[in-house]
Amino acid sequence: MTQTHSTELFKPNRTFAKTARIKNLCEYEDLRLDAEEDFEGFWGKLAKEKIEWMEPFSKVLDESEAPFYKWFIGGKLNVCAQCLDRHLDTRKNKAAIIFEGELGDSRIITYRELFYEVKRTANLLKNKFNVKKGDRVVIYMPMIPEVAFMMLACARIGAIHSVVFGGFSAEALRDRIIDAEAKLVITADGAYRRGKPYMLKPVVDDALAGGACPSIEKVLIVIRNKEEINYVPGRDYIYNEMIGLESAHCPPEPMDAEDPLFLLYTSGSTGKPKGVQHNQAGYILWAQTTMEWVFDVKENDTYWCTADVGWITGHTYIVYGPLAMGATTVMYEGVPIYPDTGRWWKMIEHYRVNQFYTAPTAIRLLHKEGKEEPKKYNLSSLKVLGTVGEPINPDAWNWYYNEIGGGRCPIVDTWWQTETGGHMISPLPGATPIKPGCATLPLPGIFAEVIDEEGNPKPAGEQGYLCITKPWPSMIRNIWGDPKRYESSYFSTCKKNGKPVYFAGDGAIRDERGYITITGRMDDVINVSGHRLGTAEIESAIAKHPGVAETAVVSRLDEIKGESVYAFIVLKPGYEDNVAEELQLLKEINAVITREIGPLAKADTMLFVPGLPKTRSGKIMRRILRSIARGEEITQDTSTLEDPAIVQKIQQLA
């Protein structure tokens, strides 16, 4: 979502800056220059300081098979041990996870308790389900502590987990299970949302129905809401009944620095989701480092990220990053407006939260629905506020800064992606003067540039491609089972000095200070409430309705969600003239989308049109449709279209 932002800069709070890890722009510049002058030395030093290695690495970076980069060659570690074992001497009684359920139930789990729970879970996976190093495990769970147990248990024994967001449909879950060739599905009976039970186990049953996922051997179920579920003898097992019988002795498996840690599926510009592969050492190094730099969490702080672990934000900034640095991380099960719009502010007051990280969609919603609500709560514990997933508009930014942060808390407006593993561009709260709606400067060691396709820097104020021109340790290593797609997806658009560089899919503008503002997606991906949805995936779902002849999906700006789904639909004969049933048709098509992908992909707007603007070669001109959806002037040349008159016809209907 492109925004016009204020040029006003907000300087860091002096009191805060005095104790921050990076205290001013001079310290930032020193780190940036260290990385520029000795790139491998910079990363090697960080890795030696922050990771507890089982065996040291012999080489920092291997670029011989670029863009399949390898980091910390020869090093061995265990990510679970990095998150738990090494904290026991000094933090065993410290809260690791503070959980609050939507109905108000809560649990505080110390590092010692988490250590033993994870080891028992790891033994359960090994002993009862024969999960071994390299096996894939799909986790389809709500936001409850057991989801962290499962992730860390997989990491402990070297299994590769793939967490699937609990809002995805059976079809979407099935696609991800099949692509990963997963051995085990871990789920829950359900959870609570908006004060009522919602179910997950039935979705798993649907995904596995008819032997659709032959790689799956068993299903492990965590009991959460105690609703009735279908139980398949010989396939389904109850975690709660089994875990108490397992030993708490489970040594961590030594893992190579470049062994896969997890897969996380994300939408792309083609219909098939991409299994983004992250590996061990580089990922955990950057997860921990960015937690320390960007949020500046101290030993006695309480940190809260409101994301779901089904997305990369939940992986890096609820589970792995906070636990690797020994922080206290808050996990919340439900929605921000149950039972009212003060829920989050009440939790911040109750738990004395110090760092708060959420999405602009949530901020816009709470600003609109409960503008005065924060005044009812004591939010003075807050030190740092963060945003993630999409650009934030100035009105929401100012409300967040003044009403939630009291005008004293820096806002770290972070830009990064599933593929980057961690933050790439962000203010440092003690150092960087912040500009509303602007991601500001690349973090030290990250070479983010705004360039054209040939690698030439774009002048200040002009939009270009946002590219990362040097590799970094937490970067995507591959698309699972599809290395050609990995290269074509990320390294085929832009070059620098004749060498392919990572293109993020986003456009950006750099100002005279070097500050970078993200202008939005430049490919066929829609960012709905911070969730990336491929237009091709939604189009494929819509096409399954028997009345749809053809469809094209674009994004439309939305004041709450950032972007919404706008579908242009050509109907088959027999459907196209039945205006009386149009509302029913809208419901049916959205039901298909919900079934195929999930409710988050539903179209907010559908327009039934007589045809779509196409080139003579048959390519749909989505840029024209995007302009129509957004009410913008059409600047593209329509004379070369197969039927130039179709554009005016669509405009008249819109």
Side-chain angles (χ1 to χ4, degrees):
M1 181 170 61
T2 305
Q3 301 287 347
T4 302
H5 297 293
S6 165
T7 57
E8 183 180 4
L9 292 183
F10 293 75
K11 293 182 179 179
N13 180 301
R14 286 188 179 182
T15 303
F16 178 92
K18 286 178 182 178
T19 60
R21 284 180 173 81
I22 300 175
K23 296 177 174 59
N24 50 56
L25 279 179
C26 291
E27 292 189 5
Y28 162 84
E29 193 66 15
D30 285 345
L31 284 168
R32 188 190 68 79
L33 288 172
D34 284 349
E36 190 173 287
E37 293 168 2
D38 183 7
F39 184 66
E40 291 191 30
F42 172 85
W43 288 113
K45 181 182 178 185
L46 273 181
K48 288 175 182 174
E49 287 176 352
K50 297 189 181 298
I51 292 180
E52 195 163 286
W53 295 95
M54 293 176 170
E55 294 181 22
F57 55 90
S58 58
K59 185 179 181 180
V60 173
L61 174 62
D62 180 356
E63 300 184 78
S64 62
E65 297 178 25
F68 297 91
Y69 299 99
K70 296 178 181 177
W71 287 86
F72 312 120
I73 313 306
K76 292 194 182 298
L77 75 161
N78 185 278
V79 166
C80 179
Q82 179 76 8
C83 292
L84 299 180
D85 303 43
R86 71 195 191 99
H87 299 312
L88 293 184
D89 286 345
T90 56
R91 298 185 175 107
K92 63 179 179 293
N93 295 320
K94 178 179 178 177
I97 296 173
I98 296 174
F99 167 75
E100 182 162 305
E102 199 182 61
L103 300 185
D105 52 314
S106 63
R107 293 166 66 186
I108 296 177
I109 302 165
T110 66
Y111 271 92
R112 179 180 59 83
E113 290 167 333
L114 183 58
F115 176 63
Y116 289 122
E117 290 287 354
V118 168
K119 289 197 296 180
R120 289 189 187 96
T121 303
N123 277 329
L124 179 64
L125 298 183
K126 281 198 305 183
N127 300 335
K128 298 297 189 296
F129 298 98
N130 195 32
V131 176
K132 302 183 295 296
K133 179 178 178 179
D135 286 342
R136 274 79 64 204
V137 174
V138 163
I139 300 173
Y140 184 70
M141 289 185 66
M143 284 292 293
I144 57 177
E146 285 81 2
V147 72
F149 301 172
M150 303 303 175
M151 293 167 70
L152 292 162
C154 286
R156 193 166 194 85
I157 63 177
I160 303 166
H161 65 69
S162 179
V163 182
V164 177
F165 172 56
F168 276 133
S169 68
E171 284 74 9
L173 175 61
R174 182 187 303 135
D175 289 344
R176 287 152 176 79
I177 291 170
I178 291 171
D179 191 74
E181 297 181 291
K183 186 173 193 174
L184 173 70
V185 174
I186 303 174
T187 189
D189 51 354
Y192 295 97
R193 193 167 184 83
R194 300 184 186 276
K196 298 178 181 178
Y198 79 94
M199 303 304 292
L200 292 173
K201 175 57 165 53
V203 180
V204 174
D205 292 338
D206 288 349
L208 303 183
C213 303
S215 63
I216 292 296
E217 298 174 1
K218 308 289 183 186
V219 175
L220 179 60
I221 307 153
V222 177
I223 300 300
R224 164 62 180 152
N225 62 18
K226 300 178 183 176
E227 296 291 312
E228 186 175 341
I229 58 172
N230 179 49
Y231 181 85
V232 180
R235 188 197 73 178
D236 296 352
Y237 295 84
I238 304 299
Y239 173 83
N240 313 59
E241 296 173 357
M242 303 172 74
I243 192 63
L245 303 176
E246 293 297 328
S247 164
H249 176 70
C250 181
E253 180 76 22
M255 303 296 291
D256 187 87
E258 282 297 310
D259 281 336
L261 175 62
F262 65 82
L263 308 178
L264 192 54
Y265 283 84
T266 183
S267 294
S269 56
T270 61
K272 184 182 178 183
K274 297 179 291 191
V276 172
Q277 177 185 320
H278 278 293
N279 290 5
Q280 306 276 334
Y283 171 79
I284 198 63
L285 170 65
W286 198 229
Q288 179 178 330
T289 302
T290 50
M291 270 294 303
E292 294 170 355
W293 286 356
V294 175
F295 296 115
D296 204 67
V297 178
K298 297 297 196 302
E299 185 61 35
N300 293 319
D301 285 348
T302 298
Y303 158 89
W304 182 17
C305 169
T306 67
D308 189 286
V309 289
W311 309 104
I312 187 65
T313 304
H315 280 56
T316 306
Y317 297 114
I318 294 178
V319 179
Y320 286 118
L323 297 177
M325 72 165 293
T328 296
T329 180
V330 175
M331 180 182 288
Y332 173 56
E333 177 184 43
V335 298
I337 55 173
Y338 181 83
D340 53 52
T341 54
R343 180 62 182 268
W344 281 4
W345 319 133
K346 181 180 180 181
M347 287 178 62
I348 289 172
E349 178 183 78
H350 179 72
Y351 295 114
R352 306 299 294 158
V353 171
N354 305 109
Q355 293 82 14
F356 182 67
Y357 192 35
T358 194
T361 294
I363 298 166
R364 288 191 292 265
L365 175 66
L366 292 168
H367 179 215
K368 182 180 180 181
E369 302 294 334
K371 189 175 182 179
E372 303 301 319
E373 198 70 19
K375 292 182 171 64
K376 301 176 183 177
Y377 301 94
N378 181 358
L379 307 180
S380 62
S381 61
L382 289 168
K383 300 177 184 178
V384 177
L385 301 175
T387 68
V388 59
E390 55 183 316
I392 181 170
N393 57 300
D395 284 349
W397 192 97
N398 284 313
W399 181 77
Y400 194 37
Y401 182 76
N402 291 307
E403 298 302 321
I404 308 307
R408 71 185 187 282
C409 298
I411 295 178
V412 289
D413 184 355
T414 61
W415 177 83
W416 60 297
Q417 301 174 306
T418 303
E419 294 87 347
T420 70
H423 300 146
M424 304 295 279
I425 306 172
S426 173
L428 295 168
T432 313
I434 52 179
K435 178 181 174 182
C438 177
T440 70
L441 299 169
L443 294 177
I446 302 302
F447 290 77
E449 302 182 47
V450 181
I451 59 177
D452 63 20
E453 291 174 328
E454 298 304 316
N456 303 304
K458 297 292 286 186
E462 286 190 19
Q463 178 174 289
Y465 295 94
L466 179 57
C467 294
I468 316 300
T469 55
K470 285 190 177 183
W472 66 101
S474 68
M475 69 186 295
I476 177 177
R477 292 301 195 272
N478 202 353
I479 291 175
W480 184 255
D482 201 344
K484 288 183 180 178
R485 191 178 180 196
Y486 165 75
E487 290 189 80
S488 64
S489 294
Y490 305 110
F491 293 92
S492 63
T493 303
C494 298
K495 295 181 178 179
K496 184 170 183 180
N497 301 323
K499 177 183 175 182
V501 295
Y502 178 89
F503 170 48
D506 282 336
I509 294 172
R510 183 183 56 82
D511 69 12
E512 294 80 2
R513 305 179 192 89
Y515 277 28
I516 294 172
T517 297
I518 313 302
T519 56
R521 300 295 299 177
M522 296 178 74
D523 56 11
D524 292 325
V525 173
I526 301 175
N527 194 328
V528 179
S529 301
H531 304 148
R532 286 167 56 189
L533 301 169
T535 57
E537 195 174 4
I538 302 172
E539 289 168 2
S540 296
I542 292 173
K544 291 186 177 182
H545 186 282
V548 174
E550 202 171 17
T551 184
V553 167
V554 298
S555 66
R556 185 182 194 177
L557 299 183
D558 185 280
E559 66 173 3
I560 299 296
K561 296 187 287 188
E563 291 181 349
S564 64
V565 175
Y566 193 120
F568 295 85
I569 298 172
V570 180
L571 295 172
K572 291 178 180 177
Y575 287 87
E576 54 191 3
D577 299 322
N578 199 341
V579 179
E581 294 187 9
E582 188 172 299
L583 186 59
Q584 179 61 28
L585 204 54
L586 292 170
K587 291 179 180 177
E588 289 176 6
I589 292 171
N590 263 333
V592 173
I593 296 172
T594 300
R595 185 185 73 228
E596 294 291 318
I597 303 171
L600 75 166
K602 287 196 298 187
D604 283 9
T605 310
M606 293 184 202
L607 189 66
F608 297 117
V609 295
L612 299 172
K614 296 180 183 178
T615 63
R616 290 183 176 88
S617 63
K619 180 182 178 182
I620 298 171
M621 295 297 289
R622 286 178 175 79
R623 284 179 296 172
I624 292 175
L625 295 175
R626 189 180 295 115
S627 296
I628 293 172
R630 297 185 178 195
E632 300 168 348
E633 181 184 356
I634 295 174
T635 57
Q636 296 89 353
D637 180 14
T638 61
S639 64
T640 59
L641 294 177
E642 183 180 36
D643 176 13
I646 196 66
V647 175
Q648 188 175 359
K649 292 177 183 176
I650 296 172
Q651 285 180 304
Q652 290 171 349
L653 292 168

